Amino acid sequence: MDQNKIKINVREERPEDYRRVEEITKAAFSYPGRIEQGGIGCPYEHWMVHELRERDGILPLSLVAVVDDTIVGHIICSHAAVKTKEKRIPVLNFGPLSVLPEYQRKGVGGALLKAMMKRAKEMGFGAILFFGSPEYYPQFGFVEAAEFGVTDCNGANYPAFMAIELQPGYLSQARSGKYFESDIYDDEKNREAVKEFDEKFREEVRENEK
């Protein structure tokens, strides 16, 4: 498949897309060695997508990538904040970003990211902070959050903790602040809920295959 020959359309997720999106998310993160790397024993991200939709007020933006009328990728966002001694600064978090394995490295992830950032800026968000691959995201303008004087909730910084301003200077008010995201992203806290959801998910797949 040649990246230059595929047309990628990005649009907002619809209720009828939900199951397809969860299947894509599970497929995107079901890679060899997942359990050995200390994970919860099954892909976690498809539960995360499902749960983000279920919690009121947490889901500001969810987009899908479509190729030839088929959804092949997805990105989802949630509300987060940087907290200083003086104030709470609202920011946007995103993740997971999911692309079917056969469409990875074809420009789908980049198309989703660019569309998400454009839409988030239009919605009035001032900055995006998240945890991800420091080898991939800098090409889209992300830098280490340390450059803005922001740490994670434990006061730490590292290359995988990244940020980008959508409004120039927005994070100047966040210096010496700590970043807090939804507890949905705490895999240890949600271990049992994830396993229960995944078992039901697998059972539904088996039923649909009969």
PDB file of all heavy atoms in Angstrom, residues 145-176:
ATOM      1  N   ALA A 145       7.737  18.677  28.135  1.00  0.00           N
ATOM      2  CA  ALA A 145       6.977  19.590  28.988  1.00  0.00           C
ATOM      3  C   ALA A 145       7.893  20.399  29.894  1.00  0.00           C
ATOM      4  O   ALA A 145       7.538  21.511  30.321  1.00  0.00           O
ATOM      5  CB  ALA A 145       5.973  18.807  29.820  1.00  0.00           C
ATOM      6  N   ALA A 146       9.072  19.876  30.161  1.00  0.00           N
ATOM      7  CA  ALA A 146      10.039  20.586  31.001  1.00  0.00           C
ATOM      8  C   ALA A 146      10.383  21.958  30.428  1.00  0.00           C
ATOM      9  O   ALA A 146      10.733  22.879  31.177  1.00  0.00           O
ATOM     10  CB  ALA A 146      11.301  19.749  31.167  1.00  0.00           C
ATOM     11  N   GLU A 147      10.299  22.116  29.105  1.00  0.00           N
ATOM     12  CA  GLU A 147      10.597  23.403  28.486  1.00  0.00           C
ATOM     13  C   GLU A 147       9.625  24.490  28.925  1.00  0.00           C
ATOM     14  O   GLU A 147       9.922  25.681  28.833  1.00  0.00           O
ATOM     15  CB  GLU A 147      10.601  23.273  26.961  1.00  0.00           C
ATOM     16  CG  GLU A 147      11.724  22.406  26.418  1.00  0.00           C
ATOM     17  CD  GLU A 147      11.908  22.541  24.913  1.00  0.00           C
ATOM     18  OE1 GLU A 147      11.443  23.559  24.346  1.00  0.00           O
ATOM     19  OE2 GLU A 147      12.506  21.629  24.320  1.00  0.00           O
ATOM     20  N   PHE A 148       8.443  24.077  29.398  1.00  0.00           N
ATOM     21  CA  PHE A 148       7.449  25.037  29.879  1.00  0.00           C
ATOM     22  C   PHE A 148       7.422  25.099  31.408  1.00  0.00           C
ATOM     23  O   PHE A 148       6.562  25.759  31.989  1.00  0.00           O
ATOM     24  CB  PHE A 148       6.063  24.655  29.360  1.00  0.00           C
ATOM     25  CG  PHE A 148       5.950  24.701  27.862  1.00  0.00           C
ATOM     26  CD1 PHE A 148       5.925  23.529  27.115  1.00  0.00           C
ATOM     27  CD2 PHE A 148       5.889  25.912  27.185  1.00  0.00           C
ATOM     28  CE1 PHE A 148       5.823  23.567  25.726  1.00  0.00           C
ATOM     29  CE2 PHE A 148       5.793  25.959  25.802  1.00  0.00           C
ATOM     30  CZ  PHE A 148       5.755  24.779  25.068  1.00  0.00           C
ATOM     31  N   GLY A 149       8.354  24.383  32.045  1.00  0.00           N
ATOM     32  CA  GLY A 149       8.417  24.398  33.499  1.00  0.00           C
ATOM     33  C   GLY A 149       7.332  23.597  34.167  1.00  0.00           C
ATOM     34  O   GLY A 149       7.014  23.815  35.339  1.00  0.00           O
ATOM     35  N   VAL A 150       6.748  22.616  33.451  1.00  0.00           N
ATOM     36  CA  VAL A 150       5.668  21.781  33.981  1.00  0.00           C
ATOM     37  C   VAL A 150       6.203  20.376  34.257  1.00  0.00           C
ATOM     38  O   VAL A 150       6.961  19.823  33.460  1.00  0.00           O
ATOM     39  CB  VAL A 150       4.493  21.709  32.986  1.00  0.00           C
ATOM     40  CG1 VAL A 150       3.384  20.809  33.521  1.00  0.00           C
ATOM     41  CG2 VAL A 150       3.957  23.097  32.687  1.00  0.00           C
ATOM     42  N   THR A 151       5.776  19.785  35.363  1.00  0.00           N
ATOM     43  CA  THR A 151       6.152  18.411  35.685  1.00  0.00           C
ATOM     44  C   THR A 151       4.912  17.528  35.666  1.00  0.00           C
ATOM     45  O   THR A 151       3.779  18.027  35.590  1.00  0.00           O
ATOM     46  CB  THR A 151       6.783  18.314  37.092  1.00  0.00           C
ATOM     47  OG1 THR A 151       5.768  18.555  38.081  1.00  0.00           O
ATOM     48  CG2 THR A 151       7.903  19.317  37.265  1.00  0.00           C
ATOM     49  N   ASP A 152       5.113  16.218  35.756  1.00  0.00           N
ATOM     50  CA  ASP A 152       3.965  15.330  35.915  1.00  0.00           C
ATOM     51  C   ASP A 152       3.436  15.459  37.347  1.00  0.00           C
ATOM     52  O   ASP A 152       3.951  16.247  38.149  1.00  0.00           O
ATOM     53  CB  ASP A 152       4.311  13.892  35.538  1.00  0.00           C
ATOM     54  CG  ASP A 152       5.245  13.196  36.523  1.00  0.00           C
ATOM     55  OD1 ASP A 152       5.544  13.761  37.592  1.00  0.00           O
ATOM     56  OD2 ASP A 152       5.671  12.065  36.226  1.00  0.00           O
ATOM     57  N   CYS A 153       2.417  14.698  37.692  1.00  0.00           N
ATOM     58  CA  CYS A 153       1.776  14.857  39.003  1.00  0.00           C
ATOM     59  C   CYS A 153       2.704  14.501  40.161  1.00  0.00           C
ATOM     60  O   CYS A 153       2.457  14.892  41.303  1.00  0.00           O
ATOM     61  CB  CYS A 153       0.494  14.029  39.071  1.00  0.00           C
ATOM     62  SG  CYS A 153       0.751  12.242  38.924  1.00  0.00           S
ATOM     63  N   ASN A 154       3.789  13.773  39.849  1.00  0.00           N
ATOM     64  CA  ASN A 154       4.748  13.397  40.891  1.00  0.00           C
ATOM     65  C   ASN A 154       5.960  14.318  40.944  1.00  0.00           C
ATOM     66  O   ASN A 154       6.917  14.054  41.674  1.00  0.00           O
ATOM     67  CB  ASN A 154       5.209  11.953  40.669  1.00  0.00           C
ATOM     68  CG  ASN A 154       4.073  10.965  40.793  1.00  0.00           C
ATOM     69  OD1 ASN A 154       3.310  11.007  41.760  1.00  0.00           O
ATOM     70  ND2 ASN A 154       3.937  10.077  39.812  1.00  0.00           N
ATOM     71  N   GLY A 155       5.930  15.368  40.126  1.00  0.00           N
ATOM     72  CA  GLY A 155       7.032  16.315  40.114  1.00  0.00           C
ATOM     73  C   GLY A 155       8.210  15.907  39.248  1.00  0.00           C
ATOM     74  O   GLY A 155       9.309  16.459  39.387  1.00  0.00           O
ATOM     75  N   ALA A 156       7.990  14.958  38.323  1.00  0.00           N
ATOM     76  CA  ALA A 156       9.075  14.451  37.486  1.00  0.00           C
ATOM     77  C   ALA A 156       8.964  14.931  36.040  1.00  0.00           C
ATOM     78  O   ALA A 156       7.883  15.313  35.569  1.00  0.00           O
ATOM     79  CB  ALA A 156       9.078  12.924  37.515  1.00  0.00           C
ATOM     80  N   ASN A 157      10.083  14.887  35.341  1.00  0.00           N
ATOM     81  CA  ASN A 157      10.133  15.177  33.909  1.00  0.00           C
ATOM     82  C   ASN A 157      10.955  14.102  33.206  1.00  0.00           C
ATOM     83  O   ASN A 157      11.885  13.539  33.781  1.00  0.00           O
ATOM     84  CB  ASN A 157      10.759  16.538  33.624  1.00  0.00           C
ATOM     85  CG  ASN A 157       9.805  17.685  33.831  1.00  0.00           C
ATOM     86  OD1 ASN A 157       9.958  18.476  34.760  1.00  0.00           O
ATOM     87  ND2 ASN A 157       8.806  17.792  32.977  1.00  0.00           N
ATOM     88  N   TYR A 158      10.609  13.831  31.948  1.00  0.00           N
ATOM     89  CA  TYR A 158      11.311  12.844  31.150  1.00  0.00           C
ATOM     90  C   TYR A 158      10.859  13.053  29.703  1.00  0.00           C
ATOM     91  O   TYR A 158       9.836  13.700  29.442  1.00  0.00           O
ATOM     92  CB  TYR A 158      10.990  11.422  31.627  1.00  0.00           C
ATOM     93  CG  TYR A 158       9.597  11.275  32.188  1.00  0.00           C
ATOM     94  CD1 TYR A 158       8.502  11.005  31.364  1.00  0.00           C
ATOM     95  CD2 TYR A 158       9.368  11.447  33.548  1.00  0.00           C
ATOM     96  CE1 TYR A 158       7.225  10.897  31.877  1.00  0.00           C
ATOM     97  CE2 TYR A 158       8.093  11.338  34.075  1.00  0.00           C
ATOM     98  CZ  TYR A 158       7.021  11.061  33.232  1.00  0.00           C
ATOM     99  OH  TYR A 158       5.755  10.965  33.737  1.00  0.00           O
ATOM    100  N   PRO A 159      11.590  12.536  28.721  1.00  0.00           N
ATOM    101  CA  PRO A 159      11.280  12.803  27.311  1.00  0.00           C
ATOM    102  C   PRO A 159       9.871  12.429  26.873  1.00  0.00           C
ATOM    103  O   PRO A 159       9.312  13.073  25.984  1.00  0.00           O
ATOM    104  CB  PRO A 159      12.333  11.971  26.569  1.00  0.00           C
ATOM    105  CG  PRO A 159      13.479  11.918  27.510  1.00  0.00           C
ATOM    106  CD  PRO A 159      12.867  11.806  28.874  1.00  0.00           C
ATOM    107  N   ALA A 160       9.274  11.397  27.479  1.00  0.00           N
ATOM    108  CA  ALA A 160       7.947  10.946  27.054  1.00  0.00           C
ATOM    109  C   ALA A 160       6.823  11.869  27.514  1.00  0.00           C
ATOM    110  O   ALA A 160       5.693  11.747  27.039  1.00  0.00           O
ATOM    111  CB  ALA A 160       7.672   9.536  27.569  1.00  0.00           C
ATOM    112  N   PHE A 161       7.112  12.804  28.407  1.00  0.00           N
ATOM    113  CA  PHE A 161       6.113  13.768  28.869  1.00  0.00           C
ATOM    114  C   PHE A 161       6.259  15.025  28.030  1.00  0.00           C
ATOM    115  O   PHE A 161       7.218  15.775  28.177  1.00  0.00           O
ATOM    116  CB  PHE A 161       6.313  14.068  30.362  1.00  0.00           C
ATOM    117  CG  PHE A 161       5.335  15.064  30.933  1.00  0.00           C
ATOM    118  CD1 PHE A 161       4.020  15.132  30.490  1.00  0.00           C
ATOM    119  CD2 PHE A 161       5.743  15.940  31.921  1.00  0.00           C
ATOM    120  CE1 PHE A 161       3.128  16.051  31.019  1.00  0.00           C
ATOM    121  CE2 PHE A 161       4.863  16.861  32.467  1.00  0.00           C
ATOM    122  CZ  PHE A 161       3.559  16.917  32.007  1.00  0.00           C
ATOM    123  N   MET A 162       5.292  15.235  27.123  1.00  0.00           N
ATOM    124  CA  MET A 162       5.424  16.279  26.108  1.00  0.00           C
ATOM    125  C   MET A 162       4.277  17.276  26.117  1.00  0.00           C
ATOM    126  O   MET A 162       3.224  17.022  26.696  1.00  0.00           O
ATOM    127  CB  MET A 162       5.539  15.617  24.731  1.00  0.00           C
ATOM    128  CG  MET A 162       6.860  14.907  24.516  1.00  0.00           C
ATOM    129  SD  MET A 162       6.905  13.986  22.948  1.00  0.00           S
ATOM    130  CE  MET A 162       5.995  12.536  23.437  1.00  0.00           C
ATOM    131  N   ALA A 163       4.518  18.393  25.445  1.00  0.00           N
ATOM    132  CA  ALA A 163       3.515  19.455  25.407  1.00  0.00           C
ATOM    133  C   ALA A 163       3.640  20.266  24.132  1.00  0.00           C
ATOM    134  O   ALA A 163       4.692  20.279  23.469  1.00  0.00           O
ATOM    135  CB  ALA A 163       3.685  20.376  26.620  1.00  0.00           C
ATOM    136  N   ILE A 164       2.557  20.962  23.794  1.00  0.00           N
ATOM    137  CA  ILE A 164       2.575  21.925  22.704  1.00  0.00           C
ATOM    138  C   ILE A 164       1.574  23.030  23.037  1.00  0.00           C
ATOM    139  O   ILE A 164       0.507  22.757  23.595  1.00  0.00           O
ATOM    140  CB  ILE A 164       2.211  21.271  21.344  1.00  0.00           C
ATOM    141  CG1 ILE A 164       2.437  22.255  20.190  1.00  0.00           C
ATOM    142  CG2 ILE A 164       0.785  20.734  21.331  1.00  0.00           C
ATOM    143  CD1 ILE A 164       2.296  21.621  18.805  1.00  0.00           C
ATOM    144  N   GLU A 165       1.941  24.252  22.764  1.00  0.00           N
ATOM    145  CA  GLU A 165       1.022  25.371  22.953  1.00  0.00           C
ATOM    146  C   GLU A 165       0.195  25.573  21.685  1.00  0.00           C
ATOM    147  O   GLU A 165       0.747  25.621  20.584  1.00  0.00           O
ATOM    148  CB  GLU A 165       1.774  26.656  23.276  1.00  0.00           C
ATOM    149  CG  GLU A 165       2.386  26.690  24.659  1.00  0.00           C
ATOM    150  CD  GLU A 165       3.044  28.019  24.971  1.00  0.00           C
ATOM    151  OE1 GLU A 165       3.697  28.585  24.063  1.00  0.00           O
ATOM    152  OE2 GLU A 165       2.920  28.500  26.113  1.00  0.00           O
ATOM    153  N   LEU A 166      -1.104  25.703  21.836  1.00  0.00           N
ATOM    154  CA  LEU A 166      -1.976  26.049  20.720  1.00  0.00           C
ATOM    155  C   LEU A 166      -2.201  27.562  20.681  1.00  0.00           C
ATOM    156  O   LEU A 166      -2.531  28.114  19.637  1.00  0.00           O
ATOM    157  CB  LEU A 166      -3.317  25.320  20.854  1.00  0.00           C
ATOM    158  CG  LEU A 166      -3.235  23.790  20.872  1.00  0.00           C
ATOM    159  CD1 LEU A 166      -4.621  23.188  21.078  1.00  0.00           C
ATOM    160  CD2 LEU A 166      -2.602  23.265  19.596  1.00  0.00           C
ATOM    161  N   GLN A 167      -2.038  28.189  21.837  1.00  0.00           N
ATOM    162  CA  GLN A 167      -2.069  29.642  21.958  1.00  0.00           C
ATOM    163  C   GLN A 167      -0.702  30.066  22.485  1.00  0.00           C
ATOM    164  O   GLN A 167      -0.322  29.682  23.592  1.00  0.00           O
ATOM    165  CB  GLN A 167      -3.166  30.093  22.921  1.00  0.00           C
ATOM    166  CG  GLN A 167      -4.577  29.701  22.515  1.00  0.00           C
ATOM    167  CD  GLN A 167      -5.598  30.077  23.578  1.00  0.00           C
ATOM    168  OE1 GLN A 167      -5.351  30.928  24.430  1.00  0.00           O
ATOM    169  NE2 GLN A 167      -6.752  29.436  23.528  1.00  0.00           N
ATOM    170  N   PRO A 168       0.078  30.828  21.706  1.00  0.00           N
ATOM    171  CA  PRO A 168       1.425  31.221  22.137  1.00  0.00           C
ATOM    172  C   PRO A 168       1.417  31.847  23.537  1.00  0.00           C
ATOM    173  O   PRO A 168       0.620  32.736  23.832  1.00  0.00           O
ATOM    174  CB  PRO A 168       1.843  32.240  21.074  1.00  0.00           C
ATOM    175  CG  PRO A 168       1.076  31.837  19.855  1.00  0.00           C
ATOM    176  CD  PRO A 168      -0.264  31.373  20.373  1.00  0.00           C
ATOM    177  N   GLY A 169       2.296  31.354  24.389  1.00  0.00           N
ATOM    178  CA  GLY A 169       2.423  31.886  25.732  1.00  0.00           C
ATOM    179  C   GLY A 169       1.446  31.329  26.744  1.00  0.00           C
ATOM    180  O   GLY A 169       1.512  31.683  27.931  1.00  0.00           O
ATOM    181  N   TYR A 170       0.560  30.434  26.319  1.00  0.00           N
ATOM    182  CA  TYR A 170      -0.480  29.930  27.222  1.00  0.00           C
ATOM    183  C   TYR A 170       0.102  29.252  28.459  1.00  0.00           C
ATOM    184  O   TYR A 170      -0.422  29.405  29.572  1.00  0.00           O
ATOM    185  CB  TYR A 170      -1.388  28.954  26.475  1.00  0.00           C
ATOM    186  CG  TYR A 170      -2.558  28.453  27.291  1.00  0.00           C
ATOM    187  CD1 TYR A 170      -3.709  29.215  27.437  1.00  0.00           C
ATOM    188  CD2 TYR A 170      -2.515  27.215  27.932  1.00  0.00           C
ATOM    189  CE1 TYR A 170      -4.792  28.763  28.189  1.00  0.00           C
ATOM    190  CE2 TYR A 170      -3.590  26.754  28.682  1.00  0.00           C
ATOM    191  CZ  TYR A 170      -4.723  27.532  28.806  1.00  0.00           C
ATOM    192  OH  TYR A 170      -5.785  27.082  29.559  1.00  0.00           O
ATOM    193  N   LEU A 171       1.189  28.510  28.289  1.00  0.00           N
ATOM    194  CA  LEU A 171       1.749  27.761  29.407  1.00  0.00           C
ATOM    195  C   LEU A 171       2.695  28.587  30.275  1.00  0.00           C
ATOM    196  O   LEU A 171       3.267  28.068  31.242  1.00  0.00           O
ATOM    197  CB  LEU A 171       2.454  26.503  28.908  1.00  0.00           C
ATOM    198  CG  LEU A 171       1.529  25.408  28.363  1.00  0.00           C
ATOM    199  CD1 LEU A 171       2.333  24.245  27.800  1.00  0.00           C
ATOM    200  CD2 LEU A 171       0.564  24.905  29.448  1.00  0.00           C
ATOM    201  N   SER A 172       2.862  29.862  29.961  1.00  0.00           N
ATOM    202  CA  SER A 172       3.696  30.707  30.815  1.00  0.00           C
ATOM    203  C   SER A 172       3.104  30.821  32.211  1.00  0.00           C
ATOM    204  O   SER A 172       3.819  30.980  33.203  1.00  0.00           O
ATOM    205  CB  SER A 172       3.856  32.107  30.192  1.00  0.00           C
ATOM    206  OG  SER A 172       2.587  32.745  30.074  1.00  0.00           O
ATOM    207  N   GLN A 173       1.791  30.728  32.310  1.00  0.00           N
ATOM    208  CA  GLN A 173       1.097  30.788  33.597  1.00  0.00           C
ATOM    209  C   GLN A 173       1.179  29.466  34.364  1.00  0.00           C
ATOM    210  O   GLN A 173       0.757  29.382  35.522  1.00  0.00           O
ATOM    211  CB  GLN A 173      -0.371  31.138  33.378  1.00  0.00           C
ATOM    212  CG  GLN A 173      -1.124  30.107  32.536  1.00  0.00           C
ATOM    213  CD  GLN A 173      -2.564  30.482  32.257  1.00  0.00           C
ATOM    214  OE1 GLN A 173      -3.250  31.018  33.123  1.00  0.00           O
ATOM    215  NE2 GLN A 173      -3.032  30.194  31.046  1.00  0.00           N
ATOM    216  N   ALA A 174       1.707  28.439  33.690  1.00  0.00           N
ATOM    217  CA  ALA A 174       1.731  27.103  34.291  1.00  0.00           C
ATOM    218  C   ALA A 174       3.091  26.717  34.843  1.00  0.00           C
ATOM    219  O   ALA A 174       3.259  25.594  35.329  1.00  0.00           O
ATOM    220  CB  ALA A 174       1.293  26.066  33.251  1.00  0.00           C
ATOM    221  N   ARG A 175       4.061  27.610  34.810  1.00  0.00           N
ATOM    222  CA  ARG A 175       5.402  27.280  35.281  1.00  0.00           C
ATOM    223  C   ARG A 175       5.368  26.853  36.744  1.00  0.00           C
ATOM    224  O   ARG A 175       4.652  27.430  37.554  1.00  0.00           O
ATOM    225  CB  ARG A 175       6.361  28.447  35.092  1.00  0.00           C
ATOM    226  CG  ARG A 175       6.536  28.854  33.630  1.00  0.00           C
ATOM    227  CD  ARG A 175       7.778  29.696  33.422  1.00  0.00           C
ATOM    228  NE  ARG A 175       8.997  28.921  33.575  1.00  0.00           N
ATOM    229  CZ  ARG A 175       9.541  28.168  32.615  1.00  0.00           C
ATOM    230  NH1 ARG A 175       8.944  28.086  31.424  1.00  0.00           N
ATOM    231  NH2 ARG A 175      10.654  27.505  32.840  1.00  0.00           N
ATOM    232  N   SER A 176       6.137  25.822  37.042  1.00  0.00           N
ATOM    233  CA  SER A 176       6.201  25.209  38.377  1.00  0.00           C
ATOM    234  C   SER A 176       4.917  24.461  38.720  1.00  0.00           C
ATOM    235  O   SER A 176       4.714  24.086  39.881  1.00  0.00           O
ATOM    236  CB  SER A 176       6.496  26.261  39.464  1.00  0.00           C
ATOM    237  OG  SER A 176       7.737  26.904  39.208  1.00  0.00           O
TER     238      SER A 176
END
